[in-house]
Amino acid sequence: MTHVMTLVQTFLEQMNQGYLKLHKEYEELFWISYMGDHSVDKRMNTARAARDAFQGSTGHLQQAQELLKKASPKDKKRLNIWIAFFKQYQSPAELFELRSRIGVLESELLKKRASRTEGYTDPHTGEFVPASYLKMRTMMTTHEDEGVRKACFDAAEQLATTLLPEYLEIVKLRNEYARGLGYEDFYAFKVEREDGMTKKELFALFDAIYEKTKYAFKDVRKLEKKMLGLRKPWNFSYLMSGDFTKEEDPYFQFEEALSRWGRSFAALGIDYKGGALQLDLLDRKGKWNNGFCHWPDLVHYEKGDRVPGSSNFTCNVVAGQVGSGVQGYNTLFHEGGHAAHFLNAEEQEVILNNEYWPMSMSWAETQSMFLDTLFSSIEWKTRYARNATGTAYPFELFERKERKLAVDKPLSRNSILFVANYEREIYEAKDLTAEKVQEIAKRNHRKYFDLDGDSLRALNVPHIYSWESSGAYHGYALATLALSQWRAYFYKKYGYIVDNPRVGKEMMKVWKLGARHTFKEFVVLATGKKLSPKAFLDAATASPEKAIRIAKKRVARLKGVKEYTNPVHLNAHVRMVSGKEVITDNSISFEDMAKQYEAWVRKQVRTSLKNNRRK
């Protein structure tokens, strides 16, 4: 028996250390590539193939199954985790080769996307104005000139078609891979494998939400009679919220974001358990144009001792652009939430301590989205958001915004349902062509946005081009339901969430479980109830009067909670970077780092404004 125990322990040690090494090799190269240096792409693809070969190893599976026969009850539990893991990734040799081929195509697409020319044609001068896709998206919300907004929209529509040839081939190969494993298509493969749901079950839930909220389209059309041109795709965001974006911008200058984020997380009691964070937050040419968080070093154990992990996260704040700062704040809370989730894991098997299967994307997004709703709440704004003179975010501004935007609030999740349904139809389509892709994109845009003009917006969503995030956008919608339910639970139990260390403590209690449970099981563990859309629908369909009444109550409740004034200790080594440039870190203190970073951001803003004047 002692001999068998030794064999089992040796095997488990080899599996944990082997996966840890392969995971890190791939993730470090992934970060370099996605930050804009594509000289490592070939090495990245090789590293990914090596990781995938480990995951799909028949030899590892057979060895684990053989050891299981004589293992102790305790070791059987550990072995069964690995057996389920290896079974999940089993595939014939030809499919393994196909997966590697898809990975290479995705890298080539990423490189093309990063190097393409982005910008719009000035409607007044006819000159081409360089601007990133993200910058143009923000301009459609904030620019006063409708001609410029339309020019940005037209440019975005053109960008949407630049990757179509590669995308068509990737969709075809992904479907071939999924069908080789016995699934109907790639979307069915992703939703069943990652969330344990069928497409029918998933979209029955989403369709029910759509049916209960689509009444708001009629209200928007009525509003259009007073706001001419409201439903033009380049006008809607500007006419609905453009003035609010400008009015709110002084309260969310990005220079202050790091400090406010740190204090908020510290007040919530969030502890990164000795982990390392690397943050790259400003937009630049060639960098992946969407926020994300990955973990090169996974939490693991050596000789029984827990070894902390590390996390990289990024976003694309355009220095000095009105409205971009808010996006940066949102990312700090969202991706910072992701980082906290996995750096708190305490599972013995490293495969339970990362973002890939068996972790559910829906559960992972519940954590990050919960924390970005902390930032977007009126309680947080009135306590933390201040302008240059120190004036707090006015409740009166929230109230005006709530009343005006109430007409669109029931449709708040349609942008997620839109991408999910678009991808479902793409992978279900027969004989897919470029024309058919565009038709599906436009049809879904009409259904979920009901605007006066079609759009290829779906093709500008970065998630659809990456294996990990393609066919997984529904995770954001499921997470919305879960976080709404979790927020309702916390408000009922404690009365408040912002600056409540008991909330942070409860979150960390489930974080340490890594991926031990399914999404549905975690929802019950966290909230005490099965997943339901009720809490989300209650909030989304509430009248502005009710929403304002609830907001006043929550702001009043928070006034009785002492503000966090202690030094920020997140129990993490934090490093601020821009590409290969290391800007600062918290080796002296978090406050010192925030001050240094603030000065650096101000310098970038001055440079950006100077360059814009020259243009």
Side-chain angles (χ1 to χ4, degrees):
M1 187 65 179
T2 303
H3 176 63
V4 173
M5 288 177 64
T6 301
L7 288 175
V8 171
Q9 294 302 318
T10 299
F11 173 79
L12 291 170
E13 180 70 15
Q14 289 174 343
M15 294 301 98
N16 277 291
Q17 291 301 316
Y19 185 79
L20 193 69
K21 179 176 180 292
L22 292 169
H23 175 92
K24 182 174 182 175
E25 288 174 353
Y26 168 66
E27 290 294 344
E28 287 184 335
L29 294 168
F30 173 93
W31 174 259
I32 294 170
S33 176
Y34 273 62
M35 291 303 98
D37 181 356
H38 295 283
S39 66
V40 303
D41 284 2
K42 187 174 181 180
R43 290 165 55 203
M44 179 183 72
N45 291 329
T46 300
R48 176 170 49 211
R51 183 204 64 181
D52 291 349
F54 177 94
Q55 293 172 333
S57 170
T58 303
H60 291 336
L61 174 60
Q62 291 174 343
Q63 192 175 356
Q65 289 172 325
E66 192 62 33
L67 289 169
L68 185 69
K69 296 175 182 177
K70 296 182 180 180
S72 67
K74 182 179 179 180
D75 286 340
K76 281 183 178 180
K77 289 182 179 180
R78 297 186 62 190
L79 285 168
N80 277 323
I81 291 170
W82 284 97
I83 289 170
F85 176 78
F86 290 129
K87 280 184 176 180
Q88 189 73 358
Y89 287 102
Q90 291 299 297
S91 65
E94 63 270 18
L95 290 186
F96 176 76
E97 293 172 5
L98 179 59
R99 175 67 183 92
S100 296
R101 187 176 157 200
I102 294 170
V104 171
L105 282 173
E106 288 181 358
S107 294
E108 292 174 355
L109 185 149
L110 170 63
K111 187 175 181 179
K112 181 178 178 180
R113 183 186 178 98
S115 61
R116 69 186 180 183
T117 300
E118 297 185 348
Y120 63 96
T121 300
D122 188 299
H124 306 294
T125 66
E127 294 182 2
F128 180 78
V129 182
S132 70
Y133 169 72
L134 289 175
K135 183 174 183 177
M136 291 188 290
R137 288 293 306 172
T138 303
M139 288 174 69
M140 278 188 265
T141 300
T142 60
H143 206 286
E144 294 178 356
D145 189 325
E146 181 178 354
V148 172
R149 295 198 302 272
K150 186 177 185 304
C152 289
F153 173 81
D154 291 340
E157 291 297 292
Q158 291 177 359
L159 285 175
T161 64
T162 57
L163 305 174
L164 259 176
E166 295 85 355
Y167 179 58
L168 276 169
E169 182 65 13
I170 287 173
V171 168
K172 174 185 172 183
L173 296 178
R174 285 174 182 167
N175 266 344
E176 186 179 331
Y177 180 90
R179 287 165 183 155
L181 292 176
Y183 291 90
E184 176 188 347
D185 54 45
F186 184 74
Y187 204 103
F189 159 70
K190 289 296 290 288
V191 71
E192 289 181 37
R193 192 184 80 163
E194 296 186 7
D195 291 294
M197 301 174 74
T198 63
K199 287 193 297 181
K200 184 177 180 180
E201 180 184 5
L202 179 70
F203 285 95
L205 178 62
F206 289 175
D207 290 346
I209 293 172
Y210 177 81
E211 291 299 323
K212 290 180 180 179
T213 57
K214 69 178 183 180
Y215 67 86
F217 287 134
K218 292 182 180 178
D219 296 333
V220 172
R221 285 182 174 242
K222 288 179 183 177
L223 185 62
E224 187 180 25
K225 294 177 181 178
K226 299 178 182 178
M227 301 173 66
L228 298 181
L230 172 64
R231 291 174 53 252
K232 297 291 185 185
W234 53 86
N235 281 344
F236 188 80
S237 294
Y238 175 77
L239 293 178
M240 287 298 292
S241 60
D243 288 342
F244 291 125
T245 300
K246 295 172 192 174
E247 195 173 352
E248 287 182 326
D249 193 65
Y251 299 96
F252 300 106
Q253 292 303 294
F254 192 65
E255 295 92 316
E256 303 286 340
L258 193 62
S259 175
R260 294 174 183 176
W261 165 70
R263 282 198 298 124
S264 300
F265 271 41
L268 206 61
I270 289 177
D271 185 326
Y272 282 91
K273 304 294 183 181
L277 305 178
Q278 179 170 243
L279 284 62
D280 187 327
L281 304 178
L282 262 61
D283 191 34
R284 61 178 180 275
K285 176 68 176 175
K287 178 182 174 184
W288 182 246
N289 68 342
N290 197 61
F292 67 81
C293 181
H294 280 227
W295 297 260
D297 295 291
L298 302 178
V299 171
H300 62 283
Y301 287 81
E302 292 182 4
K303 297 180 180 179
D305 295 325
R306 183 183 184 275
V307 179
S310 69
S311 174
N312 295 326
F313 68 85
T314 179
C315 67
N316 300 74
V317 174
V318 178
Q321 184 184 25
V322 173
S324 190
V326 168
Q327 297 169 16
Y329 275 85
N330 188 78
T331 294
L332 277 168
F333 281 76
H334 183 98
E335 307 300 349
H338 272 313
H341 180 195
F342 291 109
L343 294 183
N344 269 269
E346 294 183 1
E347 289 297 315
Q348 200 167 2
E349 316 310 325
V350 293
I351 54 174
L352 299 182
N353 296 337
N354 77 147
E355 73 269 36
Y356 303 116
W357 194 92
M359 173 53 67
S360 156
M361 175 182 165
S362 303
W363 182 243
E365 291 301 332
T366 299
Q367 317 314 307
S368 57
M369 291 170 68
F370 181 97
L371 286 162
D372 71 48
T373 59
L374 180 84
F375 154 69
S376 63
S377 70
I378 183 58
E379 309 98 288
W380 189 92
K381 290 175 181 176
T382 53
R383 169 159 286 193
Y384 284 93
R386 284 175 164 74
N387 63 16
T389 65
T391 303
Y393 184 98
F395 188 88
E396 176 271 335
L397 173 54
F398 162 81
E399 189 169 353
R400 278 192 286 117
K401 187 177 179 182
E402 183 66 31
R403 291 189 186 283
K404 182 177 180 181
L405 300 186
V407 66
D408 191 47
K409 190 166 65 171
L411 308 171
S412 61
R413 293 295 87 180
N414 273 18
S415 59
I416 295 174
L417 303 185
F418 156 66
V419 177
N421 204 62
Y422 158 79
E423 283 206 278
R424 176 181 70 163
E425 290 192 23
I426 285 293
Y427 288 106
E428 289 178 346
K430 307 293 183 184
D431 302 319
L432 196 64
T433 62
E435 292 73 24
K436 191 174 286 188
V437 168
Q438 293 176 74
E439 189 276 324
I440 292 172
K442 290 178 179 179
R443 175 159 38 80
N444 276 283
H445 191 267
R446 285 196 298 274
K447 175 179 178 180
Y448 288 100
F449 294 99
D450 189 40
L451 294 178
D452 183 15
D454 289 336
S455 174
L456 299 175
R457 176 175 171 176
L459 291 168
N460 279 322
V461 176
H463 299 68
I464 70 173
Y465 298 110
S466 170
W467 176 280
E468 282 80 13
S469 54
S470 179
Y473 214 78
H474 62 266
Y476 295 111
L478 291 176
T480 296
L481 305 185
L483 75 87
S484 298
Q485 191 166 313
W486 213 358
R487 282 171 61 82
Y489 161 81
F490 282 131
Y491 279 124
K492 183 176 180 180
K493 187 172 184 178
Y494 298 122
Y496 73 106
I497 293 176
V498 173
D499 290 2
N500 189 340
R502 291 174 293 180
V503 171
K505 185 177 180 180
E506 285 203 39
M507 295 187 79
M508 288 189 289
K509 187 176 180 180
V510 291
W511 289 350
K512 71 179 183 179
L513 301 175
R516 189 189 296 182
H517 300 286
T518 66
F519 168 65
K520 292 179 180 179
E521 290 170 345
F522 267 126
V523 170
V524 174
L525 275 174
T527 71
K529 297 180 180 179
K530 291 182 178 180
L531 180 69
S532 165
K534 183 180 185 305
F536 163 71
L537 288 170
D538 284 349
T541 60
S543 67
E545 289 73 22
K546 181 177 181 180
I548 292 167
R549 188 166 62 249
I550 291 172
K552 285 180 178 178
K553 181 179 179 181
R554 290 174 179 174
V555 169
R557 175 67 179 84
L558 193 62
K559 287 180 179 178
V561 177
K562 185 179 179 181
E563 290 194 34
Y564 186 88
T565 56
N566 294 331
V568 173
H569 290 300
L570 299 177
N571 192 14
H573 175 70
V574 186
R575 186 168 77 155
M576 309 302 298
V577 303
S578 181
K580 296 178 181 179
E581 176 189 0
V582 178
I583 303 162
T584 183
D585 64 26
N586 67 337
S587 54
I588 295 176
S589 68
F590 188 95
E591 288 73 18
D592 175 75
M593 176 185 68
K595 183 178 179 181
Q596 298 295 328
Y597 190 67
E598 178 183 342
W600 182 83
V601 171
R602 290 188 187 281
K603 182 179 178 181
Q604 308 312 305
V605 171
R606 288 195 297 270
T607 300
S608 177
L609 292 175
K610 187 184 296 183
N611 290 339
N612 287 337
R613 281 196 295 269
R614 286 173 181 168
K615 294 172 184 176

